[in-house]
Amino acid sequence: TESPLTPLRTLHQNCRRSRTVMSALINTTDPADYDIICITEPFIYSGHRFTMATPSWVSFYARGTGRPRSLILVNKNIKSDSYRQAKVDSRNVTSLIFKFPQVSLQTCSIYNEPGTNEHYDELSRHLFLNPPEHPMLWHGDFNKRVY
């Protein structure tokens, strides 16, 4: 996983805020198969901002106010000093920056509510104020065609 020649193995899943779907995802996804899981519409415990996870993963939640609509799970096999969370002020976008000796990458887990451009506006504002220094990989549930 740490080799710059080995690509990060990613998975995206929309959990539809379902405890059953979220539980199935985290309990059946083998950490030997994936480095990153990007989740949109995660199950969030009532009255909290957190969800379930197994000890094999480090959880990163969207930073905006309100119930997070995206999160990223990072495999604990990836050294914690090789990534950090980007400061995207949105409950719809979670973003991490990975820095390896020869390769860097920014990945985003993005949720967009049907019929809106909410996440585009938030992400555009963030990218305008913080131009990306690395290639970007977007995972998401966009729910609207963009032309």
Side-chain angles (χ1 to χ4, degrees):
T1 302
E2 290 298 324
S3 167
L5 301 176
T6 302
L8 288 173
R9 299 160 303 157
T10 64
L11 172 68
H12 169 256
Q13 178 67 49
N14 181 318
C15 289
R16 300 183 322 255
R17 299 182 308 208
S18 166
R19 183 181 192 137
T20 303
V21 174
M22 186 79 181
S23 180
L25 174 67
I26 65 168
N27 288 302
T28 62
T29 302
D30 187 344
D33 294 335
Y34 295 99
D35 302 308
I36 301 168
I37 303 175
C38 294
I39 301 172
T40 51
E41 290 193 281
F43 165 78
I44 301 294
Y45 289 105
S46 180
H48 298 278
R49 288 186 39 86
F50 302 104
T51 190
M52 59 187 80
T54 66
S56 300
W57 304 96
V58 179
S59 302
F60 291 90
Y61 294 84
R63 292 179 175 250
T65 58
R67 175 189 212 118
R69 292 181 175 172
S70 71
L71 71 97
I72 298 177
L73 301 178
V74 178
N75 192 312
K76 282 205 174 170
N77 291 330
I78 297 179
K79 293 179 184 175
S80 62
D81 63 353
S82 64
Y83 57 88
R84 66 178 171 81
Q85 187 166 3
K87 296 178 182 176
V88 181
D89 185 24
S90 169
R91 70 184 185 138
N92 300 309
V93 180
T94 309
S95 183
L96 298 178
I97 298 170
F98 292 86
K99 290 189 178 182
F100 299 107
Q102 297 175 349
V103 175
S104 294
L105 172 74
Q106 183 170 353
T107 188
C108 298
S109 177
I110 303 166
Y111 174 75
N112 194 64
E113 188 164 342
T116 74
N117 283 327
E118 185 177 353
H119 88 279
Y120 291 109
D121 298 338
E122 294 166 344
L123 193 54
S124 294
R125 184 171 44 255
H126 171 75
L127 294 175
F128 178 77
L129 296 173
N130 306 281
E133 300 174 15
H134 319 285
M136 294 187 78
L137 176 62
W138 292 7
H139 292 84
D141 185 355
F142 300 102
N143 286 318
K144 182 176 180 179
R145 290 185 179 210
V146 176
Y147 298 97

